[in-house]
Amino acid sequence: MSISPDSVLAALGTVEEPDLKKDLVTLNMIRDLEIEGSRIAFTVVLTTPACPLKDLIRTRCETAIHRDVDAEAEVVVNMEADVTMPGSNAATEGGSSGVKNFIAVASGKGGVGKSTVAANLAVALAKSGAAVGLVDTDIYGPSVPVMFGIDTSVKPRVNEDRKIIPLEAYGVKLLSMGFLVDETNAVVWRGPMVSSAVRQFLGDAEWGELDYLILDLPPGTGDIQLTIVQTVPLTGAVIVSTPQDVALADARKGVAMFRKVNVPVLGIVENMAYFTPPDLPDRKYYLFGEGGARRFAEEAEAPFLGEVPIEQALRESGDFGTPIVERDPQSFSARALVQIAQNTAQQVSIRNAEAPPTQQVEILHR
Ligand SMILES: Nc1ncnc2c1ncn2[C@@H]1O[C@H](COP(=O)(O)OP(=O)(O)OP(=O)(O)O)[C@@H](O)[C@H]1O
Ligand SMILES: [Mg+2]
């Protein structure tokens, strides 16, 4: 007896997308179904190429078909991705900007690893197959150029429409305020000036089509951060903290700032979580206390995205100018950062399926 497409779709209709809590057929995620004898091939269109549940979804599809259609069928599951954007089921589909998701990486406290996380998040998402950009919004201490080995004395070019052409490294399109601002002049900048520069960066740059544009924010929760946050319709924010109480207190202020302007917190990253000496690989020393950021995530009712250990190779890769997920993908910190990138992409998909687009708050200049 030949296998009917309806029977396959009925089987796939029992497979739930674990995050979106609906079945793959209802979510319109099944494409290109082809049946030849006992060979059943189809494509699952995921909401992100960095989906951490790929293997789980594949196995569930195979199981459902073997159970409901034909125990002997050869099942070929192809995976593709079409990244969603806020409100993509609603009116904003195909919005004016080519950027689907703006994601801010922030903290309250300085030096906790925002730029390190932002850089590796960007490269990890790009390596998964997404189109990714990264903007360093820190005019006082831009670090993205260093982390990507870019010489800031070489200014980005402008195209015939007078749009800034982002640079590109490790598959990520990059712009840094460091390209625009002479560091010695930066101290006189005020919130509205930063805001208009960020707006120019985001609006007047030739980003093309991007799935994710990561914004590396300067430390703090003051005027400048608030203005940047209000300049773009953020899909959400990733908060980085070390497990220390002082850092967590500042991270709490960060969460409060985003919530005040209705930007969803995609989750918390614990950086410098512990140290494992290379010669004692089974030991974990919790130099800044154990699990503080994980507990904070629970308290703030925000997802916990993962923990990054203190690793010399991570610091070195930043100084060397190649993010660690590219330079040493097998290191502990690189594997943690890839997992964090997948978890972040997952939270973006969940947020886009559930929540309406973030309203851009009107900015009042004083
Ligand atoms: N897990 C880690 N292990 C080792 N070194 C790290 C780790 N995370 C960050 N660093 C190092 O700590 C320093 C500060 O990190 P980074 O610049 O990412 O912090 P930041 O929060 O962006 O700082 P700022 O507030 O100044 O913007 C860098 O030299 C970086 O390489
Ligand atoms: Mg930084």
Side-chain angles (χ1 to χ4, degrees), residues 239 250-260 265 268 296 300:
I239 309 282
D250 287 352
R252 201 167 278 125
K253 287 186 204 158
V255 169
M257 173 181 80
F258 285 108
R259 293 206 167 140
K260 198 166 86 188
V265 173
I268 314 287
F296 168 59

Side-chain angles (χ1 to χ4, degrees), residues 190-196 199 227 231 362-366:
R190 292 288 175 266
M193 292 167 75
V194 175
S195 159
S196 67
R199 208 188 299 256
T227 339
T231 300
E362 198 182 339
I363 302 165
L364 300 170
H365 292 304
R366 277 170 281 169

Side-chain angles (χ1 to χ4, degrees), residues 114-115 138 143 216:
K114 283 177 297 301
S115 302
D138 192 348
S143 40
D216 179 17

Side-chain angles (χ1 to χ4, degrees), residues 105-119 136 138 141-144 147 216-220 240 242 270-275 307-319 333 337:
V105 178
S107 71
K109 197 175 181 306
V112 296
K114 283 177 297 301
S115 302
T116 303
V117 169
D136 185 348
D138 192 348
S143 40
V144 163
M147 290 183 170
D216 179 17
L217 258 55
V240 181
T242 61
E270 180 163 286
N271 189 26
M272 309 193 194
Y274 56 85
F275 175 69
E307 54 182 25
V308 185
I310 299 175
E311 207 169 28
Q312 188 171 337
L314 179 53
R315 200 272 304 149
E316 285 170 354
S317 71
D319 293 346
S333 51
L337 286 158

Side-chain angles (χ1 to χ4, degrees), residues 1 7 25 65 84 95 99 105 140 143 149-151 189 215 226 228-229 233 238 259-260 275 309 314 318 326 359:
M1 198 188 75
S7 67
V25 177
I65 290 173
T84 49
V99 178
V105 178
Y140 301 113
S143 40
I150 287 172
D151 175 1
W189 281 53
L215 274 67
L226 196 60
I228 295 173
V229 165
V238 172
R259 293 206 167 140
K260 198 166 86 188
F275 175 69
L314 179 53
E326 180 73 40
Q359 295 296 317

